[in-house]
Structure formats: structure tokens, C-alpha cells
Amino acid sequence: MTPVPVPFLRPQLPSLEQVGAYYRLAEEARFFSNGGPCETLLRTRLSDYLGGVGCVPVTNATSGIMVAVRAAIDAAGTGDRRYVVMPSYTFVATAGSVRMLGFEPLFVDVEPGAWQLDADALDDVLAARAGEIAAVLGTHTFGLPPAAAVQRRWTAACREHGVPLVVDAAAGFGALDDEGTRTGRDVVAHVYSFHATKAFAIGEGGVVTTNDEDLLERIEALHHFGFSSGRVAEYAGVNAKLDELHSASALAVLDGYDEVLRRRRAIAAFYREHLEPHGFTFQAGSDGGTWQAGYLSAPDAATRSAVLAGAKEGRVGVTAYYDRPVHQHPAYADAPVHGDLPVTLALATRALALPMANDLSEAEQQRVVEVVLHSARLATVS
Ligand SMILES: *Cc1c(COP(=O)(O)O)cnc(C)c1O
């Protein structure tokens, strides 16, 4: 008997019925975008969920990053500088959004325990490139924030150098830091994705959050053609507004989101319990993660190769993750790199993502663990 395949991700969006319960509000109002009843309600509900922060729903995180970085740079008056500092160990959208704004990514390393933007490297690049850095785009790697003290270091370093900080926390809506605080409740703008493959899944969508009134006003305007009041463009903006149907969908997700996170964290805990004793490592602080997938690092590159091969043969959806750091993609090969990025390069040879779904069964979880351990043992024997 061949075991049934386990897919890498099995996105689960709210049912049409759940979405319809909210979408009805838009139908009744005959108001389908530009801040209709669903989008207005969504802002309030997201803000409540995050403890009162300003929230601007957007079409996706990539457009949200563009709008937030532009707003932060305009507010800080650093637009005549060339570089936006970011880790290379991230998704290409972090760099793409910056290039689309006309700035150049400047890649720095992550640190080995939590795979987050290295605060020492950040200090170093801010000093070495003083006057050339327009902004820092920190990331919450795999949606997980760094320790609160580390993010405070990012914030302090940026403030000291007069450079704005924006955080691409795309996969991490609802994540908790090591002090138990939900991310995004900050003056620093945080950007989240509601893509179908994230834990908060509606298809395409996202939200930008900030407690900074001036920044919020700019983000608000920039995502709506640059209009700040009426139909006069105060800023050179785009259209990144979330429409009513997607807003209705996000409201339906929010209704069940605590349960989504509870399940994903339980699955991750199962992976951790069974794989950590065998030399696999997890991101430091990962208890508070949102678990878009089951991220972990193999003990070495050979073990990862063996796991990928074994999983393919066993039809279990395991993938390598960020195995090509952004600075090694052709589009960014000419962008500057600060140092040799040894941690990024090592992680790129070892990181794995295991299957994840809200409804991944116990049998499926068991099978994932068996396939990983079985393949890993092959690697050390041969
Ligand atoms: C998913 C992701 C994005 C892109 O989000 P979209 O909503 O699909 O635009 C950007 N950055 C990171 C780190 C991501 O994981």
C-alpha cells in the first residue's frame, strides 16, 4: 500500500457563506471599494486585534512595502540617498519593492540563532555608509519577529543615524515576540500579507500598520492615488486599496484566526518535539510564530539534500527555503552586499520547509516526521 501524498501547503480560505455574511454589507450599500463598509469594519477589527494601532488594508504586502517605504523615506527626508538596507535571507519581494521605488537594495547578514537581520551588521553598515542610506527594511524572517530587545536595537540604531525603519513582516500577522507582544503595535510601519499561502489567507491582500500619525496619513494617501483630502493629489501615489470582497474575506478569516494559529503552532511543536533531538534546529523564539510552513534547519547540507530526495520519493512536500538568497538572484546580482554574509550562505544550504496546513492530520504530521528522519539517517550512514 503506497501512503497518500502530503502536499507542501494546503491553503484554506473561508467559505463563500462566511465571506457572504460580510459581503452582504457591501451589496446593501452598493459600495465595492474606496473604503466601503467591509473595508471600514476590517480596519477597526484589525486595529482591535493588534491593540489599537492604525491599519491600512492593501492589495498585497509587496504594494504595502512600496507604499510604507516611500512614506517613511518622504517623512524622514532621506529620498536623495541611494540605498535601502535589508537582509538577503528573505523573499525577493522585499528587494523588488525597493527597486521599483528607484532605490538600491544593500544586503546585510542575518544572525545564526533566529535568522534575523543582524543588529551588529546593521550598526556597522549604518556607520560605514553614513549619508547614503535612505531607509532600513528589516524583515521578520518567516514571519517571526526577532527578540523584542533586538528589534529595539534596530529601532535605536536607525533613530541614531536619522534613517527610517520599516518592517516586512509579511508572513507574520498575529506573531508574538519573546515578551508576548503581538507585532505591529509600533510607530515603525509593519507590513503583513494576506496571500493564500500565508497563515492569514484570503488570496491576495495585506495590511500596513503604524502608530505614527504622520506616517499613517502618508500611507493612507499613497495607497489611494496620493489623495489626502478629496480628489487633490498631495503625494505621488498608487492604487493599493483592498476592495470589499477581499475585505469581507479578511473579516471572515479574522473570526477564526486564533484557532488557525493554535493549530499551526501545535503542528510546529510536534515537528520540533520529534526532529530537534536528531540535530534539526528551529528558529530561536519560534513559539510565537505563525508557521506559514514548518521551517527548520538541517544539521548540514548533505542531510538537507537527503531529506529533499527522500521526501520527493515519498511524495511528501518538503522544500528548501531561501536556498537562493536574494543577492544571488540574477535581478539583484549587481546590488551591493555588506560583508560576506556567511550566516545567510550557510542557512541557504540547510533550511527546509515542511508541510503545513490548518487541517494537517496527525497521520500526515507523523508521516512527515518519519520521511524526514528516515531520509536523514540515510545521509549519515552513506
Ligand atoms: C509573502 C512575502 C511577501 C509578499 O507578500 P505578497 O502579499 O504576496 O505581496 C513579501 N515579503 C516576505 C518576507 C514574504 O514572505
Side-chain angles (χ1 to χ4, degrees), residues 59-63 65 90-94 139-143 168-171 192-195 197-198 203-206 292 322:
T59 44
N60 54 55
T62 306
S63 58
I65 295 166
T90 182
F91 184 54
V92 287
T94 315
T139 65
H140 286 178
T141 308
F142 302 131
D168 171 359
Y192 299 93
S193 172
F194 298 164
H195 190 262
T197 56
K198 310 288 190 197
E204 294 280 356
Q292 179 180 6
Y322 300 158

Side-chain angles (χ1 to χ4, degrees), residues 358-380:
N358 299 342
D359 57 352
L360 199 68
S361 70
E362 277 176 34
E364 287 174 313
Q365 295 170 42
Q366 191 76 47
R367 190 159 145 61
V368 172
V369 164
E370 278 165 14
V371 161
V372 170
L373 289 179
H374 181 74
S375 332
R377 236 169 268 135
L378 285 177
T380 47

Side-chain angles (χ1 to χ4, degrees), residues 275-281 296-305 307 346 349-352 372-373 376-377 379-380:
L275 297 175
E276 224 169 25
H278 299 277
F280 291 87
T281 49
L296 76 178
S297 173
D300 51 58
T303 304
R304 180 174 77 177
S305 300
V307 168
T349 69
R350 296 207 296 256
L352 285 166
V372 170
L373 289 179
R377 236 169 268 135
T380 47

Side-chain angles (χ1 to χ4, degrees), residues 61-328:
T62 306
S63 58
I65 295 166
M66 291 179 67
V67 163
V69 169
R70 179 86 257 170
I73 286 176
D74 287 353
T78 54
D80 57 343
R81 303 179 184 179
R82 184 169 166 76
Y83 299 110
V84 175
V85 172
M86 66 184 67
S88 176
Y89 197 68
T90 182
F91 184 54
V92 287
T94 315
S97 30
V98 159
R99 268 261 172 95
M100 288 290 283
L101 293 176
F103 295 95
E104 190 62 2
L106 169 54
F107 297 111
V108 295
D109 211 355
V110 290
E111 44 76 24
W115 318 342
Q116 305 285 359
L117 173 66
D118 185 333
D120 290 332
L122 180 60
D123 284 341
D124 199 53
V125 77
L126 285 167
R129 298 274 196 163
E132 295 179 78
I133 297 171
V136 173
L137 185 47
T139 65
H140 286 178
T141 308
F142 302 131
L144 186 77
V150 171
Q151 183 148 334
R152 281 195 284 269
R153 266 192 72 187
W154 296 355
T155 308
C158 288
R159 195 170 294 148
E160 188 192 327
H161 286 87
V163 171
L165 172 67
V166 173
V167 174
D168 171 359
F173 186 83
L176 303 170
D177 67 21
D178 63 328
E179 294 176 353
T181 305
R182 260 188 206 136
T183 65
R185 310 169 56 166
D186 198 346
V187 287
V188 171
H190 283 61
V191 184
Y192 299 93
S193 172
F194 298 164
H195 190 262
T197 56
K198 310 288 190 197
F200 195 113
I202 68 169
E204 294 280 356
V207 64
V208 184
T209 71
T210 179
N211 267 329
D212 179 318
E213 287 298 327
D214 172 55
L215 201 54
L216 189 64
E217 187 194 306
R218 289 172 186 274
I219 291 165
E220 192 73 68
L222 286 175
H223 100 300
H224 181 39
F225 308 111
F227 295 155
S228 53
S229 61
R231 296 173 64 81
V232 178
E234 212 66 59
Y235 306 94
V238 293
N239 178 7
K241 297 188 302 294
L242 197 67
D243 68 291
E244 287 296 287
L245 188 52
H246 286 92
S247 297
S249 196
L251 284 162
V253 172
L254 205 50
D255 286 338
Y257 196 55
D258 287 340
E259 176 62 11
V260 165
L261 289 181
R262 193 193 62 74
R263 287 192 200 171
R264 284 172 178 257
R265 285 174 182 151
I267 295 163
F270 179 87
Y271 286 157
R272 190 167 182 171
E273 180 192 339
H274 291 89
L275 297 175
E276 224 169 25
H278 299 277
F280 291 87
T281 49
F282 287 72
Q283 242 180 313
S286 62
D287 291 346
T290 53
W291 300 101
Q292 179 180 6
Y295 301 107
L296 76 178
S297 173
D300 51 58
T303 304
R304 180 174 77 177
S305 300
V307 168
L308 289 171
K312 191 170 179 205
E313 197 186 312
R315 296 199 294 161
V316 169
V318 178
T319 67
Y321 234 83
Y322 300 158
D323 49 324
R324 190 194 282 268
V326 180
H327 74 285
Q328 292 182 340

